[in-house]
Amino acid sequence: MNHLNYKDWQIENDLQVTNFQDLEDLLLARQAISPADQAEFFHPQYSDLYDPFLFQDMALATELVLGIKAQGGHIHIYGDYDCDGISATALLVNYFRSLGIQTSYSLPSRLGAGYGLNDNAVAQILAVQPDLLITVDNGSSAQAEISQLMQAGLPVIVTDHHQVPDPGPQALAFLNPHRPGEAYPFQDLAGVGVALQLARAVDQKLGLQTDPRPWLALAALGTIADSMPLLGENRAIVHLGLQAMRSAAPLGLQKLVQRLRPEGPVDAEFLAFSVASRINAAGRLNNTDPAIQLLLSEDPREIDGLLDEIEGLNTGRSSIEADILQAARTQIRAQSPEEKAHILLVADPSWHPGVIGIIAARLAEEFNRPTVCFGGTGGEYRGSARTVASFDILSALQAASAYCESVGGHRQAAGVTLLPENYPAFAATVRTYTADHADDLVNEPGLTAFAGLDHQLINEDCLALLQRFAPFGNSNEKPIFLLQNLAVQSMRRIGDGSHLSPVLRLNDGREIRGIAFRKGDWLDLFRVGDQVDVLADLQAHTWKGRSSLQLQILDMRPGQADLQLYRAQDQFAKMWLSGTPLEELSDPGSPDQPCLRLPTQAIGHFWLYLDALLQAQKTILIYPAYLARAFQRKHNLYFSAFACRAALAILAEAELIKLASRPGGRLRITALRQTARPTLSAQESWQRLAAEGGLEA
């Protein structure tokens, strides 16, 4: 179904770039980089980082740490179970231990009390009897717990980057760029970025010049993993951290990078999807020990064992995901059409709550419907929700808040906990809310290309120019280009079969390989020899020491010549449906393949094909040309856009479906329940086609 999910294409700069100077100028304008800013943007330096003492409590925090060092005291670091929190914990533990300070740490349990300080954590910290507690990547909302610790005589420094409630924590020192009244000039640091600044401040006060590259590597990892904006100070941190990753990162991180990518560039995308995902896998399975130990250890043999353990956790996480995904699909198949008409709700107390967010995202993508997936922990259902189109999933959950223990998140993704006995009422309420807001389910967000790109610019020089603007990520997205009229030379499934690797021929005769993740079903829509347009970014692919250019393809559609023909067919279909006789229309097809005909032998197959799509999803938003093309490719028969529109009109008149026109020439098709089997040949459009010679035996 994903290959038929029509998405509008918008062009940020509605022009065709034909030379490198224009491309560079557009990229500079995109980030508003003036000539005076270019040196700092393209060549970030460690000295570009802000003075850590711009934090209003940094001087006090530094004095507290140095006081512990002077008295031979003990610091405890309390982190978080995600990659940002683990990286921040490792950074401060490594540094303080290098100063000879006794430093311990603890991380919360994802499946226990969850994020941040809690009563159990307070008891465990006090049992350790440290002389100073430092939180990293948490603490801003732990007012009660921090008060309890302070009342017990334990000084607390909070380092965090989350939003601060009113009132904030009453710690001795509070380092958070979002703190009300905070003068620090950059608000978008990750938790590990704040920890980095604390380490820098202590180092400055001691008059040391500790090599910052291990800090920067950890800070880059946590910043990317937390999807922080890669502009300003974060750009410098990540740029420098990526440079340090192979040679100066903590040894365990170096070895993890080397194992996952023995050759080729270490870029932000690789760090996010390969490295950070494995660190996060440990937290998802409630076993952060090997992840934090990996970032702390300097013993190569121990590190090798930890790498194996982390890979095992990641494999286990993948296996658990696959099992839950299959079980969730089974639940969905067993549900009635009404239950799964607008939103998917799946639950099982045996499902691991650490992976339900990934499951919800996969199901939402696969079925193109908002999804809430529940696992079980501590006698509760813990759920994670993901949405599609413009549907507000948080509002849907909040509509059922009377049945929930907690609800939080945002429009695109949210979390919820509830008692199992409240699940039926919760599900009924959410389904009703979603049905009442069904229009939001078919307003597919568009895809935006940076600009059109001439084929002659698709080369290594272009890639080198683009890479000057890296690292790419949040707020500095990798430029996506519109490439028109490429010829399909070959297409094959790769990986587990869900991914596609096409080879495309440029208009100068060169061939370029592409990769399209989770687009394997494009084989139902495209064939060798097709002319296609794509939205893609350029990237380097390294294999056995050789680097080549490839395209990462986000979307593909028929080329302009095919689209013009389909649009002409579709326009004639709309004219005919509005009353214009067939004889007054000029057939845009050929004598061998007339377009203005409906093959009668295809109508039954077409209904079965459409019904299968509507079984998976009660309502679809589709461009008729795509539907016609996919159907004719699947059944290896000619079926024009005119035939598609005419067949849809007949099915609508038979009350098998409901049609509604949408902007851009799309149709909204909704399945209708039909108890009796209608006679298609009795419908008005069939009769009219037959009378005008538009039916083809």
Side-chain angles (χ1 to χ4, degrees), residues 66-99:
L66 294 180
I68 298 299
K69 181 179 186 300
Q71 70 189 37
H74 172 194
I75 295 177
H76 187 84
I77 310 295
Y78 187 79
D80 190 26
Y81 49 70
D82 71 358
C83 188
D84 185 18
I86 292 172
S87 301
T89 302
L91 191 156
L92 289 185
V93 171
N94 273 329
Y95 177 55
F96 291 158
R97 287 178 177 174
S98 74
L99 297 178

Side-chain angles (χ1 to χ4, degrees), residues 395-407 416-418 426 429-430:
S395 292
L397 300 184
Q398 288 172 335
S401 60
Y403 307 107
C404 303
E405 301 300 301
S406 65
V407 175
V416 57
T417 58
L418 50 83
F426 167 87
T429 304
V430 169

Side-chain angles (χ1 to χ4, degrees), residues 569-570 572-574 576-577 582 595-599 603 606 624 639-653 657 659 667 680 683-686 689 694-695:
Q569 297 170 5
D570 194 45
F572 283 138
K574 289 188 283 187
W576 181 79
L577 289 168
L582 276 181
C595 296
L596 306 184
R597 297 290 186 274
L598 175 59
I603 296 178
F606 179 72
F639 197 73
S640 69
F642 176 92
C644 182
R645 281 265 190 183
L648 289 171
I650 292 169
L651 296 172
E653 291 164 6
I657 59 173
L659 295 178
L667 286 175
L680 297 184
Q683 307 308 315
E684 178 184 350
S685 293
W686 182 297
L689 272 175
L695 289 179

Side-chain angles (χ1 to χ4, degrees), residues 32 90 114 118 233 238 323 366 405 446 480 531 538 541 600 615 646 652 667 690:
N118 53 71
E233 192 166 35
V238 172
D323 291 344
E366 181 176 337
E405 301 300 301
I480 306 300
Q531 292 290 124
L538 278 63
H541 175 66
T600 55
Q615 286 290 329
L667 286 175

